[in-house]
Amino acid sequence: MTHARRLLPRTAFAPAAVFAAAALFGGLAAVAADDKPAEMLKPAPAAKPAAAATPVPPSPVAWTKYKLSDQFFSEGAAVGDFNHDGKMDVVAGPYWYAGGDFAHAAKHQYYAYPDKAGTPQPAKAFDPAGYSDNFFAFVYDFNGDGWDDILIYGFPGKDASWFENPKVADSKDPAADKPWARHQVLAMVDNESPQFTDVDGDGKPDMVCGTGGTDKEGGTLGYATADWANPAKPWTFHAVTPKGKGYQRFTHGLGVGDVNGDGKMDLLEKDGWWEQPKEKAGDGPWKRHDVKFGPGGAQMHVYDVNGDGRPDVITSLAAHAFGLAWFEQKADGSFEQHTVMGSKAEENPQGLRFSQLHAIDLVDIDGDGIKDVVTGKRYWAHGAKGDAEPAAPAVLYWFKLTRAGGVPTFTGYEIDNDSGIGTQVMAVDVNGDKRPDVVVGNKKGTFVHIQRPAAETTGARN
């Protein structure tokens, strides 16, 4: 059963809902966010699945879990070959972990916190009741030297910096643990789902985010481009939206994709999408199409869910509450919401329900040619007593998409129940077997989930 409602487009600009600024105490302390609609935060009773719940076929894949750290350093993780050995490594927080044998992965610190004298110090883990200064990690060879560098988005409203790989192949070389050169390229990254992808079609990735959200008049959404002749200098931000109070550091929901099928990447937010002009992309404002995609979720993905040739939208509905949905695009450009999972067990055919879907990835997990959803629960997003069901198991799921009889169906399969997600979850081939694996960094630690065929016997390493 799906629950659908029709959403009509309005192209006239309407200001987005205002987000109250979060209060910060001592730098990275408690955040008082108003992104939690009361009706969605009420913990629904843990209802048992209905007797007629849809039978679930066995999972076509299995997973082996590796815990690289049990400490809280970051809310995201990424993958790259940092020592040039042909094996994919994992980066989370101030460390990268050598690939090949994640049961005994060597750990290397690539940035450090200097003391008052400027001497680099060993990294200290953050208190899970608070927040880290590292929310997103991406990997790219910024200077074109053939070695993977690391891009970090800090705490919302802080900077984006990329760290230059020193090109040390021998992990026993003392230089392997010296701080990498840091290049700050954007002073303020707003929104809690900023991305790193090509917006303007030049084949190079851009930083997609908000900026200026601390201003009393609010900020803007847009993307920042590099001067690739000198990518270490500050990048140029291109505003896609007008300035508005709805664009703050802690605004939720952001995506990039070709919504209208014209071959150009558009920007999505919780209140609609912004159409990239047919002429060369640059500063906006772009044309706004007003659609309610929920109170504010996480990464928003554009994908033809039902196979009708029109791009649809997949998103969580409320990052600190409940809800996963896809929005079907109709021939007239309107969208119809289809609930995949809500706050009540009866809203999902399997009886699934979990809260705080603060990160989503979209990838073909099982190799059937159709992309699937990877998401889970962000554990203790606002501490032990914040949000909906903060102490519930930190589950990690993938939802297999099928289109039997022309009807799209998402079937949920648990990957793990004690890792969850952060503000980022990344599904990518880590061990070179051409199957997507899942990497996570969050308040539970740093994890790698390696995909195996379901027929194989698998275990877990904690």
Side-chain angles (χ1 to χ4, degrees), residues 141-437:
D141 178 9
F142 288 94
N143 55 3
D145 64 358
W147 291 70
D148 285 338
D149 306 305
I150 299 170
L151 173 66
I152 297 297
Y153 297 165
F155 187 77
K158 299 296 183 181
D159 70 280
S161 294
W162 66 270
F163 294 82
E164 184 175 348
N165 194 322
K167 298 183 286 190
V168 179
D170 184 359
S171 61
K172 295 181 181 179
D173 187 328
D177 287 291
K178 289 185 177 180
W180 296 12
R182 177 176 181 168
H183 306 287
Q184 181 176 313
V185 289
L186 194 64
M188 181 181 293
V189 175
D190 293 341
N191 195 284
E192 292 200 24
S193 297
Q195 301 185 28
F196 185 58
T197 188
D198 183 13
V199 174
D200 56 11
D202 67 352
K204 297 281 191 177
D206 309 305
M207 291 187 287
V208 185
C209 60
T211 196
T214 56
D215 189 273
K216 65 179 181 180
E217 298 301 323
T220 59
L221 286 181
Y223 63 101
T225 56
D227 174 0
W228 291 105
N230 185 7
K233 74 178 185 180
W235 291 24
T236 302
F237 187 81
H238 305 275
V240 165
T241 73
K243 199 175 186 68
K245 294 182 178 180
Y247 304 123
Q248 303 287 347
R249 288 179 292 170
F250 308 113
T251 299
H252 288 76
L254 185 60
V256 179
D258 183 5
V259 178
N260 58 352
D262 66 354
K264 290 182 173 290
M265 295 293 102
D266 309 303
L267 260 63
L268 298 92
E269 55 162 303
K270 67 184 183 63
D271 293 320
W273 63 280
W274 297 84
E275 181 180 348
Q276 184 172 159
K278 291 181 172 57
E279 62 272 14
K280 182 176 176 61
D283 292 339
W286 294 359
K287 182 179 179 181
R288 177 188 172 103
H289 299 263
D290 191 20
V291 183
K292 291 296 293 182
F293 290 120
Q299 293 83 1
M300 304 171 71
H301 295 273
V302 177
Y303 185 65
D304 182 6
V305 173
N306 56 2
D308 66 356
R310 288 188 291 270
D312 307 304
V313 175
I314 301 170
T315 182
S316 58
L317 297 177
H320 297 290
F322 296 90
L324 175 65
W326 70 279
F327 291 78
E328 179 184 0
Q329 185 171 181
K330 301 296 185 177
D332 63 357
S334 63
F335 286 83
E336 184 177 6
Q337 178 181 327
H338 300 269
T339 299
V340 176
M341 184 176 66
S343 62
K344 299 178 181 178
E346 53 265 33
E347 293 180 273
N348 177 272
Q350 300 170 244
L352 292 178
R353 59 179 295 275
F354 55 84
S355 64
Q356 308 211 50
L357 288 71
H358 210 303
I360 295 179
D361 205 355
L362 185 69
V363 66
D364 180 7
I365 287 289
D366 56 351
D368 65 353
I370 302 176
K371 291 186 177 182
D372 311 298
V373 171
V374 179
T375 187
K377 177 182 177 65
R378 184 183 174 200
Y379 181 78
W380 275 25
H382 289 149
K385 297 182 180 180
D387 310 314
E389 301 183 348
V395 296
L396 177 64
Y397 265 78
W398 73 281
F399 287 81
K400 176 179 173 60
L401 172 60
T402 56
R403 299 173 178 146
V407 179
T409 301
F410 287 90
T411 303
Y413 293 101
E414 183 179 284
I415 298 173
D416 186 56
N417 64 5
D418 192 23
S419 56
I421 58 172
T423 53
Q424 182 181 32
V425 61
M426 186 172 289
V428 62
D429 182 11
V430 176
N431 62 351
D433 65 357
K434 302 187 186 314
R435 301 185 183 98
D437 309 300

Side-chain angles (χ1 to χ4, degrees), residues 53-67:
T54 303
V56 179
S59 174
V61 301
W63 304 86
T64 300
K65 172 184 174 182
Y66 296 92
K67 180 183 285 188

